[in-house]
Amino acid sequence: MKTGIFLAIAFITTAAIWSADYPIKELTAEQKAAIDQALPDRAPVKPKKARKVLVTHIAKRNGNPVSGHPSIPFGNYALVEMGKNTGAYQAVINNDESVFRPENLAAYDAIIFNNTLGVLFEDPALRQSLLDFVKNGKGFAAIHCGGGATFVQHPVYDQFPEFGEMVGGYEDGGHPWLPNEVTHVKIDDPKSPLTAMFIGPFEIHEETYQFREPALRDRLHVLLSIDVSKMPAGRKILKQRQQDMDFPVSWTKAYGKGRVFYSMTGHSPDAFKDPLLLQHYLAGIQFVAGDIKADMTPSDKLKGATK
């Protein structure tokens, strides 16, 4: 009996902590196998030390838990197994808001928001703790709505403006192109170690975002973006986006002494079965954890970063 209890506790502490408030569908053996087959077998770099990352998928509307994106269990499984498979980090999944207290965040090197959604928590102290964690030198990564659609609830965007500043922008205006359409992606910084896995432009099926800030590249180091020259007319394009037709897909960004990585991809479960996207996520995680050095200079200060 004692052995069984010990093993159960060991599993929880080394792999994932699940919150009953945010239940997700258990993946089938076939679904897990498809992800396993796509996982990288090695990390881009050897970690400088053992790394621990917090993964959360809190999703709320009107202050109440909601089920969130169907891709969440795929992302959680991929993030946990990718860390194990490559030795790059240990992922712990925790949706308890108390994990964002400073004394609890101190155990982690980086935080990953896997398709979080809505206003996650109202407590000013917890919000400041999240900001300080990154600002003081650690890392933050966000997948799909874990960035620009978190700590907001459409159509209001002033719930936590400091989070939008940290991430780099807030999504607004719906989705110009939908998952049933082909999205053409170009590589804006082919020299970045976070894009080394891509040999050239590629196509995805994804729920795309447009960001509401008047300018984007004055604050973001854009890694990937939508090649609008190959796209049909988008839906309900914001006025500010009509002026520049700029739709970043992935970027890096400095926040104080810390590092931010965001990818618009991950709405579809297929993103977590794509070997190249998984390598992209892994490089991004190692970047925010402090093991990979990558340029965070805003793109408008760079020249010739197109592949």
Side-chain angles (χ1 to χ4, degrees):
M1 178 64 72
K2 290 183 179 180
T3 301
I5 293 173
F6 175 79
L7 291 174
I9 293 173
F11 173 78
I12 291 172
T13 55
T14 57
I17 301 174
W18 304 96
S19 169
D21 289 337
Y22 303 94
I24 57 174
K25 185 178 179 179
E26 177 67 24
L27 299 185
T28 66
E30 292 77 11
Q31 290 168 329
K32 290 179 180 180
I35 296 172
D36 290 338
Q37 187 173 4
L39 289 173
D41 58 7
R42 67 186 68 180
V45 300
K46 183 179 179 180
K48 298 174 184 177
K49 62 178 185 177
R51 299 294 188 184
K52 191 174 182 181
V53 302
L54 169 66
V55 180
T56 187
H57 64 264
I58 298 172
K60 289 185 176 181
R61 184 163 185 81
N62 298 324
N64 299 313
V66 295
S67 58
H69 276 54
S71 63
I72 287 173
F74 294 84
N76 283 350
Y77 180 80
L79 292 169
V80 170
E81 294 302 315
M82 187 159 61
K84 292 180 184 178
N85 209 43
T86 63
Y89 59 85
Q90 174 197 1
V92 175
I93 300 173
N94 193 336
N95 295 310
D96 190 326
E97 294 173 18
S98 67
V99 75
F100 290 96
R101 293 173 182 164
E103 62 271 23
N104 295 330
L105 285 182
Y108 298 97
D109 297 287
I111 299 168
I112 304 174
F113 277 13
N114 174 25
N115 275 290
T116 52
L117 182 68
V119 180
L120 309 190
F121 42 81
E122 301 278 1
D123 188 334
L126 295 184
R127 291 182 173 194
Q128 191 61 49
S129 176
L130 170 60
L131 298 175
D132 289 345
F133 175 86
V134 184
K135 188 180 294 183
N136 291 336
K138 293 195 175 181
F140 177 81
I143 296 174
H144 194 56
C145 58
T150 291
F151 283 113
V152 294
Q153 184 171 308
H154 181 79
V156 182
Y157 288 87
D158 62 356
Q159 292 97 328
F160 189 11
E162 295 84 0
F163 178 79
E165 178 185 348
M166 181 185 80
V167 174
Y170 273 129
E171 177 270 336
D172 192 2
H175 312 293
W177 299 280
L178 300 176
N180 62 345
E181 300 173 282
V182 174
T183 295
H184 296 268
V185 180
K186 61 186 178 71
I187 294 134
D188 290 75
D189 184 1
K191 297 180 181 179
S192 174
L194 277 60
T195 62
M197 63 291 305
F198 303 113
I199 61 173
F202 59 96
E203 300 174 356
I204 55 175
H205 289 267
E206 189 55 81
E207 180 183 75
T208 61
Y209 282 151
Q210 55 182 326
F211 293 86
R212 69 197 314 262
E213 285 65 24
L216 298 171
R217 296 182 185 237
D218 64 345
R219 74 198 73 186
L220 310 179
H221 184 94
V222 178
L223 301 170
L224 308 172
S225 64
I226 295 174
D227 187 346
V228 294
S229 70
K230 298 179 180 178
M231 299 296 296
R235 299 168 181 81
K236 299 180 180 180
I237 304 298
L238 297 171
K239 289 183 179 179
Q240 56 268 44
R241 294 288 75 84
Q242 292 176 19
Q243 294 176 3
D244 61 19
M245 293 302 288
D246 193 14
F247 303 91
V249 171
S250 295
W251 65 68
T252 59
K253 182 182 178 294
Y255 185 68
K257 298 178 182 178
R259 302 160 300 280
V260 173
F261 166 72
Y262 171 74
S263 179
M264 182 194 72
T265 61
H267 168 82
S268 169
D270 289 342
F272 302 102
K273 306 172 192 174
D274 185 313
L276 295 182
L277 285 180
L278 288 174
Q279 291 177 49
H280 184 51
Y281 298 155
L282 176 57
I285 293 167
Q286 287 206 285
F287 161 69
V288 298
D291 290 319
I292 288 180
K293 290 184 178 181
D295 198 350
M296 295 181 284
T297 306
S299 292
D300 68 357
K301 297 181 181 179
L302 301 172
K303 294 181 180 180
T306 303
K307 186 181 261 186

